[in-house]
């Protein structure tokens, strides 16, 4: 069974641009969560999607948005990029929302975004 | 507030045992997770504890004490490939949100 797939793996953008990152969950998984990982802040929760609906949102500005499609694939978008947005963006999928032994989040390898 | 503490770095010798501690103070609790992350790779799931006690899985064991807000990950018979970052995370009461510590960078020396 294929794991979580994130594309692209690497991205270089300049300040003010916008970017869209893609995540394909493990087959059968319907919940997708996004995290930002930086050396200073570690892994921070961005948002969670299930059934094409955002269920939960972290403490990030409105420039960060996302969506989920009917096939459970998800995208996140960052508009008006700032230097501080340089980070590894990780997507995780699970069978359904919530926590539990049957609802472990499995991560993709991430998209490394560099903002110049 | 949400606070998860774990040591920044640890060093251990191949074949030895190492214990990585994690303390947490969070407004909600819905399980304690450990992930392993090699440089440039995806975090991989190691263990999940929701009840007090020890969970053993091969060379890896994880312990939880909810009353003390404390967990540890025990790695036995260390191998060079165990050199990685180990992430402690608490499941929040809000859906699928994981709150992570900063990670412990483990170096295994020959």
């Amino acid at each position: 069974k294929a794991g979580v797939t994130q594309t692209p793996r690497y991205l270089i953008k300049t300040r003010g641009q916008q970017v869209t990152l893609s995540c394909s969950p493990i087959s059968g998984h319907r919940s997708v969560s996004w995290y930002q990982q930086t050396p200073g802040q570690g892994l921070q929760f961005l948002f969670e999607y299930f059934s094409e609906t955002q269920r939960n949102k972290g403490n990030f500005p409105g420039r960060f948005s996302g969506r989920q499609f009917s096939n459970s694939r998800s995208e996140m978008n960052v508009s008006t990029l700032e230097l501080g947005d340089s980070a590894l963006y990780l997507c995780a999928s699970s069978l359904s929302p919530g926590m539990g032994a049957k609802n472990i989040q499995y991560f993709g390898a991430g998209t490394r975004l560099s903002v110049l | 507030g949400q606070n998860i503490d774990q040591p920044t770095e640890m060093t251990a010798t191949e074949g030895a045992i190492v214990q990585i501690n994690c303390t947490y103070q969070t407004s909600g609790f819905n399980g304690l997770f450990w992930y392993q992350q090699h440089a440039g790779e995806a975090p991989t799931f190691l263990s999940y504890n929701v009840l007090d006690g020890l969970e053993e899985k091969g060379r890896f064991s994880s312990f939880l004490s909810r009353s003390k807000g404390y967990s540890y990950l025990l790695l036995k018979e260390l191998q060079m490939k165990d050199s990685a970052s180990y992430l402690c995370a608490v499941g929040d009461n809000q859906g699928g949100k994981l709150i992570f510590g900063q990670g412990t960078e483990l170096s295994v020396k020959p």
Side-chain angles (χ1 to χ4, degrees), chain A residues 16-112:
Chain A
Q17 287 186 310
Q18 76 162 17
V19 66
T20 299
L21 313 181
S22 179
C23 172
S24 293
I26 293 171
S27 177
H29 284 195
R30 298 172 60 201
S31 182
V32 173
S33 296
W34 288 89
Y35 295 83
Q36 181 195 65
Q37 186 174 31
T38 59
Q41 300 295 321
L43 267 144
Q44 292 187 289
F45 174 79
L46 280 157
F47 24 65
E48 177 196 17
Y49 286 88
F50 175 73
S51 288
E52 303 176 63
T53 302
Q54 186 182 92
R55 286 175 41 90
N56 206 354
K57 189 175 184 344
N59 191 24
F60 280 82
R63 300 185 296 107
F64 291 81
S65 63
R67 59 178 175 168
Q68 186 181 36
F69 302 95
S70 58
N71 62 357
S72 297
R73 192 176 71 83
S74 177
E75 288 181 348
M76 69 162 280
N77 184 277
V78 187
S79 63
T80 320
L81 283 166
E82 300 178 0
L83 295 178
D85 297 333
S86 294
L88 181 65
Y89 290 88
L90 291 161
C91 165
S93 76
S94 59
L95 282 169
S96 58
M99 294 289 163
K102 295 184 180 179
N103 238 7
I104 303 300
Q105 291 187 23
Y106 295 94
F107 284 83
T111 294
R112 184 162 296 282

Side-chain angles (χ1 to χ4, degrees), chain A residues 35 37 40 42 48 56 105 108, chain B residues 35 37 42 94 96-98 102:
Chain A
Y35 295 83
Q37 186 174 31
E48 177 196 17
N56 206 354
Q105 291 187 23
Chain B
Y35 284 84
Q37 187 178 26
Q94 300 177 50
K97 178 180 177 180
L98 287 172
Q102 290 280 59

